[in-house]
Amino acid sequence: MEESTVKPAVVATEKYKEPTSNISDDFLQKPWQEMDGFDWTEKSVESLLTEIEKYMPLADLENGNYSKIPHVNLLLVGRISSGKSSFFNTVDSVIKGRLSLRSRAGCASSSLTKSLDIYKVKGRKNSGTLNFRVVDCRGLEEDQSLDSRDVEYILDGHVMDGYVFNQSTPITKDNSKFRKDPTLADRIHCVIFVVDGSNPPEITMSQNVEKQVKELQEMMNRRKIPQLILLTKVDTMATVKEDLSKVFHSKSVLEMRDKIAMSFGLPPYTVLPMQNIANSPTVSKEIKILTLYNLRQILRAADDFLENHEEEIMGDKYKGAQTTSY
């Protein structure tokens, strides 16, 4: 993935317009994004699932042999009730083929995620744990923010699974959940900002939350960590509500994508439209395809980060990645 220089945030000044309720007004005949040859069929579900189950970080290294990075770490960051934890449940449900409720999700006045939760995902047919980890941390709030030192330690791989966030003080080096000598395999390889697409941009990115996000992005940019935006709840748009497979035909989703990308100072192509399974006990074919396609893009971004560290991975100075565990 290309790197981009993050520009100062642009605060929306125009009055927010409610998503179009008339499908004919919202529907674009030509999709504004193609899916690399995939379509909305069961064949695409199987193809994407197989690709993700076979995924190995930087598999092209060492003539196709298993690389020295056993898995990539994908950090979810977002405002409370944005769909952050629900996204993991959706990923787990799609791969399992049944509803998964491993991560606590829902609406609350404060973050439901109180600790750093690192999730493994198992493939189908007892194929073992897949080669990525989903890292979920407490949500961003208007009156409470993630401590910048906690975030830096998370990005650099110092914080282990189960660490409970303390609003008054960040993690210390004598904490049992503090990893003193992290390797490249312990670090965060891609950050996914989760944004509620059903809210106006000025609510999604209020001044206080926007300030928190910019501070986090500065840390990520210094480390050259790829950043993607997951635009959730797109089913509130007229065209998508009628048929999720028309998500890339929706004028409302396109407009929201561009506004959110501008707010984050990221290119529009880094925004991934998403519908979680929060309102449905079953996993539809369309949700499967969109989830797997987005996960595929996220894994590719993580590979881009690792590719920039290829010399370190292949060099003698890199040791111990294979023994990393959570």
Side-chain angles (χ1 to χ4, degrees):
M1 175 171 290
E2 298 179 4
E3 290 184 25
S4 62
T5 302
V6 174
K7 301 177 182 178
V10 177
V11 180
T13 56
E14 60 180 285
K15 184 178 179 181
Y16 177 72
K17 298 178 181 179
E18 290 293 332
T20 305
S21 59
N22 190 316
I23 296 176
S24 62
D25 293 337
D26 188 53
F27 183 80
L28 301 174
Q29 290 295 328
K30 184 177 180 180
W32 43 267
Q33 180 178 313
E34 300 290 346
M35 290 203 303
D36 304 335
F38 293 104
D39 54 22
W40 300 89
T41 63
E42 290 292 345
K43 182 179 179 181
S44 289
V45 172
E46 181 61 31
S47 179
L48 285 164
L49 261 175
T50 300
E51 181 176 341
I52 288 168
E53 287 180 327
K54 291 182 177 179
Y55 167 78
M56 294 187 294
L58 289 182
D60 293 337
L61 286 184
E62 301 182 312
N63 298 318
N65 292 331
Y66 190 71
S67 77
K68 294 181 180 180
I69 304 293
H71 55 256
V72 291
N73 303 313
L74 316 172
L75 176 63
L76 299 176
V77 178
R79 187 170 177 169
I80 58 172
S81 302
S82 62
K84 184 166 54 71
S85 298
S86 291
F87 173 65
F88 168 73
N89 285 338
T90 302
V91 168
D92 201 38
S93 297
V94 168
I95 294 175
K96 281 182 175 177
R98 64 166 179 81
L99 188 64
S100 170
L101 300 173
R102 289 174 61 193
S103 179
R104 188 182 178 195
C107 298
S109 58
S110 62
S111 178
L112 291 174
T113 304
K114 305 296 184 182
S115 59
L116 188 77
D117 299 323
I118 301 177
Y119 293 103
K120 301 176 183 179
V121 178
K122 292 183 179 179
R124 301 170 295 175
K125 301 175 183 177
N126 300 317
S127 59
T129 301
L130 303 185
N131 297 320
F132 64 89
R133 303 287 183 269
V134 178
V135 184
D136 193 8
C137 66
R138 68 172 294 129
L140 303 177
E141 302 178 48
E142 279 298 313
D143 55 350
Q144 296 186 44
S145 61
L146 286 168
D147 190 286
S148 60
R149 286 165 292 182
D150 271 345
V151 175
E152 287 193 301
Y153 282 140
I154 291 169
L155 295 177
D156 292 337
H158 287 285
V159 187
M160 291 188 275
D161 183 28
Y163 166 67
V164 179
F165 292 98
N166 186 328
Q167 193 60 37
S168 61
T169 180
I171 191 171
T172 59
K173 295 181 180 180
D174 59 355
N175 190 296
S176 63
K177 294 295 184 180
F178 188 91
R179 181 184 291 110
K180 292 182 172 60
D181 298 304
T183 67
L184 181 60
D186 299 311
R187 290 161 60 181
I188 295 299
H189 306 121
C190 181
V191 174
I192 304 98
F193 287 104
V194 183
V195 176
D196 184 347
S198 68
N199 278 329
E202 60 266 28
I203 294 178
T204 296
M205 285 288 285
S206 65
Q207 187 173 4
N208 191 28
V209 171
E210 185 175 43
K211 180 181 178 182
Q212 294 179 52
V213 167
K214 292 307 168 186
E215 290 174 352
L216 298 180
Q217 285 187 297
E218 287 181 10
M219 302 175 199
M220 298 162 191
N221 292 334
R222 288 198 298 270
R223 293 162 175 78
K224 299 182 179 180
I225 301 174
Q227 302 157 43
L228 298 175
I229 302 169
L230 201 69
L231 185 63
T232 62
K233 306 180 185 180
V234 294
D235 54 313
T236 58
M237 313 296 183
T239 296
V240 186
K241 189 174 184 179
E242 181 73 15
D243 183 354
L244 181 59
S245 70
K246 300 297 188 291
V247 61
F248 297 117
H249 290 267
S250 171
K251 181 180 178 181
S252 297
V253 174
L254 175 61
E255 291 174 349
M256 182 67 80
R257 179 201 73 162
D258 292 343
K259 288 179 180 179
I260 293 299
M262 184 176 292
S263 295
F264 277 80
L266 293 172
Y269 61 76
T270 62
V271 181
L272 309 174
M274 180 66 196
Q275 180 181 336
N276 291 327
I277 58 170
N279 298 321
S280 173
T282 59
V283 186
S284 70
K285 175 184 64 180
E286 290 75 20
I287 288 180
K288 290 178 183 177
I289 292 169
L290 193 58
T291 302
L292 293 170
Y293 180 77
N294 287 339
L295 179 57
R296 174 180 180 261
Q297 301 305 96
I298 292 168
L299 294 175
R300 288 185 169 189
D303 263 3
D304 290 339
F305 172 81
L306 292 176
E307 189 173 342
N308 288 334
H309 294 269
E310 186 172 335
E311 291 185 6
E312 182 179 352
I313 293 171
M314 302 305 297
D316 292 336
K317 62 180 180 179
Y318 184 84
K319 299 176 181 179
Q322 293 278 21
T323 62
T324 300
S325 63
Y326 289 105

Coordinates of all heavy atoms in Angstrom, one line a residue, residues 47-89:
S47 N -13.6 -18.6 -2.7 CA -12.3 -18.1 -3.2 C -11.6 -17.2 -2.1 O -10.4 -17.3 -1.8 CB -12.4 -17.4 -4.5 OG -11.2 -16.9 -5.0
L48 N -12.4 -16.2 -1.6 CA -11.9 -15.3 -0.6 C -11.5 -16.1 0.7 O -10.4 -15.8 1.3 CB -12.9 -14.2 -0.3 CG -13.0 -13.1 -1.4 CD1 -14.3 -12.3 -1.2 CD2 -11.7 -12.2 -1.4
L49 N -12.4 -17.0 1.1 CA -12.1 -17.8 2.4 C -10.8 -18.6 2.2 O -10.0 -18.6 3.1 CB -13.3 -18.7 2.6 CG -14.3 -18.3 3.7 CD1 -15.5 -19.2 3.7 CD2 -13.7 -18.1 5.1
T50 N -10.7 -19.2 1.1 CA -9.5 -20.0 0.8 C -8.2 -19.2 0.9 O -7.2 -19.6 1.5 CB -9.6 -20.8 -0.5 OG1 -10.8 -21.6 -0.5 CG2 -8.4 -21.6 -0.8
E51 N -8.3 -18.0 0.2 CA -7.1 -17.1 0.2 C -6.7 -16.7 1.6 O -5.6 -16.6 2.0 CB -7.4 -15.9 -0.7 CG -6.3 -14.9 -0.8 CD -6.5 -13.8 -1.7 OE1 -7.5 -13.9 -2.6 OE2 -5.8 -12.7 -1.6
I52 N -7.7 -16.3 2.4 CA -7.5 -15.9 3.8 C -6.9 -17.0 4.7 O -6.0 -16.9 5.5 CB -8.7 -15.2 4.4 CG1 -8.9 -13.8 3.7 CG2 -8.6 -15.1 5.9 CD1 -10.3 -13.2 4.0
E53 N -7.5 -18.2 4.5 CA -7.0 -19.4 5.3 C -5.6 -19.7 4.9 O -4.9 -20.2 5.8 CB -8.0 -20.6 5.1 CG -9.3 -20.4 5.8 CD -10.2 -21.6 5.5 OE1 -10.2 -22.2 4.5 OE2 -11.0 -21.9 6.4
K54 N -5.2 -19.5 3.7 CA -3.8 -19.8 3.2 C -2.9 -18.7 3.4 O -1.7 -18.8 3.2 CB -3.9 -20.2 1.8 CG -4.6 -21.5 1.5 CD -4.5 -21.9 0.0 CE -5.1 -23.2 -0.3 NZ -5.0 -23.6 -1.8
Y55 N -3.4 -17.6 3.9 CA -2.5 -16.4 4.1 C -1.4 -16.6 5.0 O -1.5 -17.2 6.1 CB -3.3 -15.2 4.6 CG -2.5 -14.0 5.1 CD1 -1.9 -13.2 4.1 CD2 -2.2 -13.8 6.4 CE1 -1.1 -12.1 4.6 CE2 -1.4 -12.8 6.8 CZ -0.8 -11.9 5.9 OH 0.0 -10.9 6.3
M56 N -0.2 -16.3 4.6 CA 1.0 -16.3 5.4 C 1.7 -14.9 5.2 O 1.9 -14.5 4.1 CB 2.0 -17.4 5.1 CG 1.4 -18.8 5.3 SD 2.7 -20.1 5.1 CE 2.9 -20.0 3.3
P57 N 2.1 -14.3 6.3 CA 2.8 -13.0 6.2 C 4.0 -13.1 5.3 O 4.9 -13.9 5.5 CB 3.2 -12.6 7.6 CG 2.3 -13.4 8.5 CD 2.0 -14.7 7.7
L58 N 4.1 -12.2 4.3 CA 5.2 -12.2 3.3 C 5.6 -13.6 2.8 O 6.7 -14.0 2.9 CB 6.4 -11.5 4.0 CG 6.3 -10.0 4.2 CD1 7.6 -9.4 4.8 CD2 6.0 -9.3 2.9
A59 N 4.6 -14.3 2.3 CA 4.8 -15.7 1.9 C 5.8 -15.8 0.8 O 6.4 -16.8 0.5 CB 3.5 -16.3 1.4
D60 N 6.0 -14.7 0.0 CA 7.0 -14.7 -1.1 C 8.4 -14.7 -0.6 O 9.3 -15.0 -1.4 CB 6.8 -13.5 -2.0 CG 5.4 -13.6 -2.7 OD1 4.9 -14.7 -2.8 OD2 4.9 -12.5 -3.2
L61 N 8.7 -14.4 0.6 CA 10.1 -14.4 1.1 C 10.6 -15.8 1.2 O 9.8 -16.8 1.3 CB 10.1 -13.8 2.5 CG 10.0 -12.3 2.6 CD1 10.2 -11.8 4.1 CD2 11.0 -11.6 1.7
E62 N 11.9 -16.0 1.1 CA 12.5 -17.3 1.2 C 11.9 -18.3 0.2 O 11.7 -19.5 0.5 CB 12.4 -17.8 2.6 CG 13.1 -16.9 3.6 CD 13.0 -17.5 5.0 OE1 11.9 -17.9 5.4 OE2 14.1 -17.5 5.7
N63 N 11.7 -17.8 -1.0 CA 11.2 -18.7 -2.1 C 9.9 -19.4 -1.7 O 9.7 -20.6 -2.0 CB 12.3 -19.8 -2.4 CG 13.6 -19.2 -3.0 OD1 13.5 -18.2 -3.8 ND2 14.7 -19.6 -2.5
G64 N 9.1 -18.7 -1.0 CA 7.8 -19.3 -0.7 C 7.7 -20.0 0.6 O 6.6 -20.4 1.0
N65 N 8.8 -20.1 1.3 CA 8.8 -20.8 2.6 C 8.1 -19.9 3.7 O 8.1 -18.7 3.5 CB 10.2 -21.1 3.1 CG 10.9 -22.2 2.2 OD1 10.1 -23.0 1.7 ND2 12.2 -22.2 2.1
Y66 N 7.7 -20.5 4.8 CA 7.0 -19.7 5.8 C 8.0 -18.7 6.4 O 9.1 -18.9 6.7 CB 6.6 -20.7 6.9 CG 5.7 -20.1 8.0 CD1 4.4 -19.7 7.6 CD2 6.2 -19.8 9.2 CE1 3.6 -19.2 8.6 CE2 5.3 -19.2 10.2 CZ 4.0 -18.9 9.9 OH 3.2 -18.4 10.8
S67 N 7.5 -17.4 6.4 CA 8.4 -16.3 6.8 C 8.6 -16.3 8.3 O 8.0 -17.1 9.1 CB 7.7 -15.0 6.4 OG 6.7 -14.7 7.3
K68 N 9.5 -15.5 8.7 CA 9.9 -15.4 10.1 C 8.9 -14.6 11.0 O 9.1 -14.5 12.2 CB 11.3 -14.8 10.3 CG 12.4 -15.6 9.7 CD 13.7 -14.9 9.9 CE 14.8 -15.8 9.3 NZ 16.2 -15.2 9.4
I69 N 7.8 -14.1 10.4 CA 6.7 -13.5 11.1 C 5.6 -14.5 11.2 O 5.0 -14.8 10.1 CB 6.3 -12.2 10.4 CG1 7.5 -11.2 10.3 CG2 5.2 -11.5 11.2 CD1 8.0 -10.7 11.6
P70 N 5.3 -15.0 12.3 CA 4.2 -16.1 12.3 C 2.8 -15.6 12.1 O 2.0 -16.4 11.6 CB 4.3 -16.6 13.8 CG 4.9 -15.5 14.6 CD 5.9 -14.8 13.6
H71 N 2.6 -14.3 12.4 CA 1.2 -13.7 12.1 C 1.3 -12.2 12.2 O 2.3 -11.7 12.7 CB 0.2 -14.2 13.2 CG 0.6 -13.9 14.6 ND1 1.2 -14.9 15.4 CD2 0.7 -12.7 15.3 CE1 1.5 -14.3 16.6 NE2 1.2 -13.0 16.5
V72 N 0.3 -11.6 11.6 CA 0.3 -10.1 11.6 C -0.7 -9.7 12.7 O -1.7 -10.4 13.0 CB -0.1 -9.5 10.3 CG1 1.0 -9.7 9.3 CG2 -1.4 -10.0 9.7
N73 N -0.5 -8.5 13.3 CA -1.3 -8.0 14.3 C -2.1 -6.7 13.8 O -1.5 -5.8 13.3 CB -0.4 -7.6 15.5 CG 0.4 -8.7 16.0 OD1 -0.2 -9.8 16.2 ND2 1.7 -8.5 16.2
L74 N -3.4 -6.8 13.9 CA -4.3 -5.8 13.3 C -5.0 -5.1 14.4 O -5.8 -5.7 15.1 CB -5.3 -6.4 12.3 CG -4.7 -7.5 11.4 CD1 -5.8 -8.2 10.7 CD2 -3.7 -6.9 10.4
L75 N -4.7 -3.8 14.6 CA -5.3 -3.0 15.7 C -6.5 -2.3 15.3 O -6.5 -1.5 14.4 CB -4.2 -2.0 16.3 CG -4.7 -1.1 17.4 CD1 -5.1 -1.9 18.6 CD2 -3.6 0.0 17.7
L76 N -7.6 -2.5 16.1 CA -8.9 -1.8 15.9 C -9.0 -0.6 16.8 O -8.8 -0.7 18.0 CB -10.1 -2.7 16.1 CG -10.2 -3.9 15.3 CD1 -11.4 -4.8 15.7 CD2 -10.4 -3.6 13.8
V77 N -9.2 0.6 16.2 CA -9.3 1.8 17.0 C -10.6 2.5 16.6 O -10.9 2.6 15.3 CB -8.1 2.8 16.8 CG1 -8.3 4.1 17.6 CG2 -6.8 2.1 17.2
G78 N -11.4 3.0 17.5 CA -12.7 3.7 17.1 C -13.4 4.3 18.3 O -13.2 3.9 19.4
R79 N -14.3 5.2 17.9 CA -15.2 5.7 18.9 C -16.1 4.7 19.5 O -16.4 3.7 18.8 CB -16.0 6.9 18.3 CG -16.8 7.7 19.3 CD -17.3 8.9 18.6 NE -18.2 9.7 19.6 CZ -18.7 10.9 19.3 NH1 -18.3 11.5 18.2 NH2 -19.4 11.5 20.2
I80 N -16.6 4.9 20.7 CA -17.5 3.9 21.3 C -18.7 3.8 20.4 O -19.2 4.7 19.8 CB -17.9 4.3 22.8 CG1 -18.6 5.7 22.8 CG2 -16.7 4.3 23.7 CD1 -19.2 6.0 24.1
S81 N -19.2 2.5 20.3 CA -20.4 2.2 19.6 C -20.3 2.4 18.1 O -21.2 2.4 17.3 CB -21.6 3.0 20.0 OG -21.9 2.8 21.4
S82 N -19.0 2.4 17.6 CA -18.8 2.5 16.2 C -18.9 1.2 15.4 O -19.0 1.2 14.2 CB -17.4 3.2 15.9 OG -16.4 2.3 16.4
G83 N -18.8 0.1 16.2 CA -18.9 -1.2 15.5 C -17.6 -1.9 15.5 O -17.3 -2.9 14.8
K84 N -16.7 -1.5 16.4 CA -15.3 -2.0 16.5 C -15.3 -3.5 16.9 O -14.8 -4.4 16.1 CB -14.5 -1.2 17.4 CG -13.0 -1.5 17.6 CD -12.3 -0.4 18.3 CE -13.0 0.0 19.7 NZ -12.8 -1.1 20.7
S85 N -15.9 -3.8 18.0 CA -15.9 -5.2 18.5 C -16.9 -6.0 17.6 O -16.6 -7.2 17.4 CB -16.4 -5.2 20.0 OG -15.5 -4.5 20.8
S86 N -17.9 -5.4 17.1 CA -18.8 -6.1 16.2 C -18.1 -6.6 14.9 O -18.5 -7.6 14.3 CB -20.0 -5.2 15.8 OG -20.9 -5.0 17.0
F87 N -17.1 -5.8 14.5 CA -16.4 -6.2 13.3 C -15.7 -7.5 13.5 O -15.7 -8.4 12.7 CB -15.4 -5.1 12.9 CG -14.5 -5.5 11.7 CD1 -15.0 -5.8 10.5 CD2 -13.1 -5.7 11.9 CE1 -14.2 -6.2 9.4 CE2 -12.3 -6.1 10.9 CZ -12.9 -6.3 9.6
F88 N -15.0 -7.6 14.7 CA -14.3 -8.9 15.0 C -15.3 -10.0 15.0 O -15.1 -11.1 14.4 CB -13.6 -8.8 16.3 CG -13.1 -10.2 16.7 CD1 -12.1 -10.9 16.0 CD2 -13.8 -10.9 17.7 CE1 -11.7 -12.2 16.3 CE2 -13.5 -12.2 18.0 CZ -12.4 -12.8 17.3
N89 N -16.5 -9.8 15.7 CA -17.5 -10.9 15.7 C -18.0 -11.3 14.3 O -18.2 -12.4 14.1 CB -18.7 -10.4 16.6 CG -18.4 -10.5 18.1 OD1 -17.5 -11.2 18.5 ND2 -19.2 -9.7 18.8

